[in-house]
Amino acid sequence: MFKVLTKADFILLILLVAIGLALSWVSLSGSVHGQTAVVTVNGHEYGRYSLSRNQSVTIRQNGHTNKFSIKNGHVQMTYSDCKNQLCVEHSSISRTNQSIVCLPNRVVIEIKGGDGYDAVSN
Amino acid sequence: MQSRTERTRRLTLSAMFATLALIFTYVEVLIPYNLGIPGVKLGLANLVILIALYRMDVRYALMIDLIRILLAGLMFSGLFAMLYSLAGGMISLLVMALLQRTGKFSMIGVSMAGGVSHNFGQLLVAALVVTNARMFVYFPVLVFSGIAAGIGIGVIAYIINRKLPSQLFKGGIS
């Protein structure tokens, strides 16, 4: 079976794994527990919510509705009127650089550090 | 000059391939698996596209994939999701066709590159739609899932390809 694989296959595999590892390293480095959830709709900021307070937020825009909850510093999308429901199924997020995206409704929830000020990414 | 029967044969076979690809897409819609990250999936339909690429021609593979994406978009996922399938499908087909042409890669290697580039294409469109480059935090996971799914599909395609009759799509394309 393994005789099928060519030298080029292995080089490609190693290359792709290396790219994957490098990207993981880049996206995971500097990730700390966040303090603010920043909601962006269609590229424009919709609101900022502190992670230290447990709350439930409803985002209403352009006829779409999304709801998310903040509980013990973790953000979870609890409701979306979109079709694919991927954002609702997404695991909860709590660290900087993490985000939940609802593509059909164009809603992005990002975790940022204190006061939403993020020197590294901006 | 192709004979009439030969043309009919090809047309029928292409239609069968497109149907099979559509069924595979549907099977994946039916099986809900959620790993917490959107976009992680096996890509069963790529099995058909790979075989089409090797046994027919890149043009046939392209048409079969386009028909699959169009029909799947209209039937299951909606026009919006069609955009992602289209980006992923076209980029992966381009990459796979190029790698295949070099003659240096096996079907498994080609499929692996296809899996990763498919995920890259989808992510690219997703980042454009939400106008947020942060979408790329998903990319590391999608690279690895693309490799894994690509190898899996590549191995199956390789086995199937060997079992298929050699006269399946007779005498090249002209």
Side-chain angles (χ1 to χ4, degrees):
Chain A
M1 186 72 233
F2 289 102
K3 277 183 185 161
V4 182
L5 294 169
T6 65
K7 208 164 141 191
D9 285 342
F10 282 110
I11 296 170
L12 182 69
L13 177 64
I14 292 165
L15 201 73
L16 289 177
V17 169
I19 291 171
L21 287 176
L23 287 169
S24 316
W25 184 75
V26 168
S27 69
L28 289 178
S29 64
S31 151
V32 290
H33 258 283
Q35 282 159 14
T36 317
V38 179
V39 177
T40 313
V41 176
N42 235 334
H44 301 289
E45 188 173 316
Y46 179 91
R48 286 167 186 264
Y49 307 90
S50 169
L51 292 191
S52 55
R53 199 162 65 86
N54 288 353
Q55 53 188 319
S56 188
V57 180
T58 304
I59 308 162
R60 266 184 243 279
Q61 43 84 24
N62 303 328
H64 295 299
T65 307
N66 286 69
K67 288 178 189 167
F68 70 93
S69 69
I70 297 172
K71 205 171 182 184
N72 305 324
H74 289 260
V75 177
Q76 172 91 54
M77 191 78 86
T78 51
Y79 171 82
S80 170
D81 60 2
C82 67
K83 204 175 172 185
N84 62 29
Q85 295 293 306
L86 284 172
C87 55
V88 179
E89 289 165 9
H90 198 292
S91 45
S92 68
I93 55 171
S94 61
R95 302 180 73 84
T96 54
N97 294 345
Q98 288 185 313
S99 58
I100 296 178
V101 179
C102 179
L103 280 176
N105 294 358
R106 305 192 176 187
V107 172
V108 182
I109 305 175
E110 281 176 82
I111 304 289
K112 300 238 166 151
D115 307 327
Y117 177 69
D118 193 341
V120 181
S121 67
N122 299 317
Chain B
M1 183 71 193
Q2 294 176 22
S3 70
R4 184 176 285 258
T5 43
E6 183 58 32
R7 281 212 308 256
T8 314
R9 226 175 104 83
R10 287 184 182 173
L11 184 65
T12 317
L13 211 59
S14 307
M16 269 174 58
F17 268 55
T19 313
L20 200 57
L22 187 64
I23 291 170
F24 278 151
T25 305
Y26 183 53
V27 167
E28 272 199 331
V29 173
L30 283 181
I31 308 168
Y33 35 56
N34 165 38
L35 303 171
I37 301 277
V40 177
K41 60 177 182 177
L42 191 53
L44 271 175
N46 201 36
L47 203 56
V48 181
I49 306 304
L50 258 178
I51 302 274
L53 189 63
Y54 273 80
R55 285 309 188 96
M56 299 173 169
D57 179 83
V58 64
R59 289 173 296 166
Y60 281 80
L62 176 70
M63 286 319 292
I64 290 168
D65 208 17
L66 283 177
I67 291 169
R68 173 190 76 84
I69 291 164
L70 183 73
L71 290 179
L74 292 175
M75 288 162 76
F76 328 120
S77 52
L79 290 174
F80 191 75
M82 207 162 93
L83 203 66
Y84 300 101
S85 310
L86 199 64
M90 291 307 102
I91 289 185
S92 82
L93 187 61
L94 181 74
V95 169
M96 290 198 297
L98 287 177
L99 288 194
Q100 189 221 4
R101 287 227 167 151
T102 64
K104 289 195 168 64
F105 296 88
S106 74
M107 235 171 160
I108 298 164
V110 169
S111 167
M112 194 164 68
V116 175
S117 51
H118 182 274
N119 288 347
F120 176 70
Q122 293 208 314
L123 209 55
L124 206 62
V125 173
L128 286 176
V129 167
V130 295
T131 53
N132 187 325
R134 275 299 175 78
M135 278 306 288
F136 281 92
V137 294
Y138 291 127
F139 199 45
V141 185
L142 290 175
V143 168
F144 289 117
S145 83
I147 294 173
I151 290 175
I153 293 294
V155 169
I156 301 170
Y158 173 76
I159 294 168
I160 292 175
N161 192 39
R162 283 211 322 192
K163 304 269 182 199
L164 286 175
S166 57
Q167 295 289 304
L168 183 73
F169 210 71
K170 212 161 62 182
I173 315 295
S174 53

